[in-house]
Amino acid sequence: MSNSLKEAPRPVRVGVVGVGVMGANHARVLADLPGAELVGIADPDAAQAGKVAGLLGCAAVADIEALTALGVDAVVVAAPTHLHHDVALAAIGAGAHVLVEKPIAPSVAEGEAIVAAAKARGVALMVGHVERFNPAVEAVKKAIEGEEILSIGITRVGPFPPRMSNVGVVIDLAVHDIDLICHFTGSEIAEIQPQVKAAVAEREDIALLQFRTANGVLAHINTNWLTPFKARTVHVATRKKYVIGDLLTRQVTECFDYKPDGSYSMRHLPVAYAEPLRVELSRFLAAVRGEAAPPVTGEDGVASIATAIRCLEGPEATRPASVPSARIRAAV
């Protein structure tokens, strides 16, 4: 064998905690992802864990301690949100790199504790805001690069999900778009004007949220569980163009070259074909191997949940942001 041929790097040994709908999808992708080895899954529901493990050919265990005992390099935390803090800290304590599904935690304090623990242990921490890896989002982001953004409008609506019981639309849905607003603008949420209502559910099922970012962009989110069909759209107005992205059909349209007579030009932008979750997990593996920084940091996740919580606090949430992300803290 020639010495010039480099030996292939060892696959990253990954485990998944929680194999409900999202966790099972993580496990499915990891089982087929180059550079990853799905070692095992952990879930207290032995029947569900055994079913998923049997399909994917990996071990099934009951908890995070048993999973880390299998010798994993990294852990995906897809357990219910109220368990994220304890599971993530246990994984980090065992020296594993961690991807935590969104939201990072149910509170800012618990999210910050996860961030601090990962830094202290020197492991990669990434938050699973998978919508960032939607090819339509990436096409919109590319289209507005270098532009002066004036406003952003995002609609994320659909029917009531039977699986949802412990959170409302702000934590379940709007947190995606809070993160996207920061992602598109490269800024933080500075002002909030929230309107939320529980119309047919115990928790809020309608939310109309208005924001101003620190760099002056106006944004709004319309989200609910009352619409009989799903819709996921992004509208971005810049000084020179207007970009519309449909996150479900993955069609992105750009309007530009405005004329005094009201006419304008329009074109459909190229959108890559890719499964967002597969892209997200590939980026996570790159962070685990030290090839790149996590594209969605723990601080990003904390900032998003902090804004979402403030949206639920009522009229006083119009005050300026009191929980800056690491990007702001690093600048002072």
Side-chain angles (χ1 to χ4, degrees):
M1 180 176 173
S2 172
N3 292 332
S4 63
L5 295 178
K6 291 185 178 180
E7 186 177 341
R10 178 179 68 84
V12 176
R13 293 170 57 83
V14 188
V16 177
V17 179
V19 283
V21 174
M22 197 65 201
N25 276 327
H26 275 285
R28 169 185 60 81
V29 173
L30 286 166
D32 187 51
L33 193 63
E37 178 186 351
L38 180 63
V39 176
I41 57 176
D43 197 298
D45 184 336
Q48 174 67 3
K51 176 183 176 182
V52 175
L55 288 172
L56 300 178
C58 67
V61 296
D63 53 38
I64 180 61
E65 288 76 19
L67 186 64
T68 56
L70 296 176
V72 295
D73 303 310
V75 170
V76 172
V77 180
T81 302
H82 71 278
L83 299 175
H84 284 188
H85 173 267
D86 291 351
V87 174
L89 290 190
I92 292 167
H97 304 275
V98 174
L99 186 153
V100 186
E101 259 304 327
K102 69 82 190 169
I104 186 172
S107 71
V108 172
E110 290 190 358
E112 289 182 333
I114 295 171
V115 172
K119 287 185 176 179
R121 191 61 191 251
V123 297
L125 172 64
M126 181 169 161
V127 182
H129 281 280
V130 69
E131 198 73 281
R132 281 210 203 179
F133 306 97
N134 186 320
V137 167
E138 295 184 331
V140 171
K141 174 74 170 174
K142 183 177 179 180
I144 62 176
E145 189 174 358
E147 295 281 334
E148 180 187 352
I149 302 173
L150 303 177
S151 69
I152 298 174
I154 303 179
T155 297
R156 186 180 297 269
V157 297
F160 190 87
R163 65 179 176 81
M164 193 55 57
S165 61
N166 61 339
V167 297
V169 292
V170 171
I171 301 298
D172 184 50
L173 298 182
V175 74
H176 279 295
D177 303 313
I178 290 168
D179 178 70
L180 288 184
I181 289 167
C182 296
H183 180 54
F184 287 140
T185 62
S187 186
E188 305 299 327
I189 303 295
E191 299 175 24
I192 300 173
Q193 293 183 327
Q195 296 290 336
V196 301
K197 181 178 181 178
V200 298
E202 291 185 8
R203 298 179 184 268
E204 85 286 348
D205 47 25
I206 308 172
L208 300 174
L209 313 174
Q210 295 186 353
F211 308 97
R212 183 188 295 271
T213 66
N215 60 359
V217 177
L218 301 181
H220 71 265
I221 296 172
N222 170 26
T223 188
N224 69 57
W225 281 331
L226 306 179
T227 306
F229 55 86
K230 281 188 176 183
R232 307 279 189 269
T233 59
V234 175
H235 291 239
V236 183
T238 77
R239 185 70 65 181
K240 297 180 180 179
K241 62 176 68 172
Y242 192 89
V243 180
I244 305 166
D246 188 317
L247 306 188
L248 294 179
T249 65
R250 298 182 184 174
Q251 184 176 56
V252 177
T253 306
E254 181 181 81
C255 304
F256 61 100
D257 196 21
Y258 307 139
K259 296 292 194 308
D261 63 2
S263 64
Y264 57 89
S265 299
M266 180 184 293
R267 63 188 170 202
H268 294 305
L269 301 180
V271 179
Y273 178 81
E275 181 182 4
L277 186 60
R278 189 178 181 89
V279 176
E280 176 184 78
L281 288 168
S282 295
R283 303 277 181 87
F284 175 54
L285 292 183
V288 169
R289 291 190 293 261
E291 298 168 359
V296 187
T297 65
E299 290 86 354
D300 291 337
V302 171
S304 294
I305 191 62
T307 297
I309 290 170
R310 286 174 50 211
C311 287
L312 298 173
E313 289 178 344
E316 67 272 19
T318 56
R319 66 187 183 277
S322 58
V323 188
S325 79
R327 285 193 291 259
I328 290 180
R329 284 197 290 266
V332 296

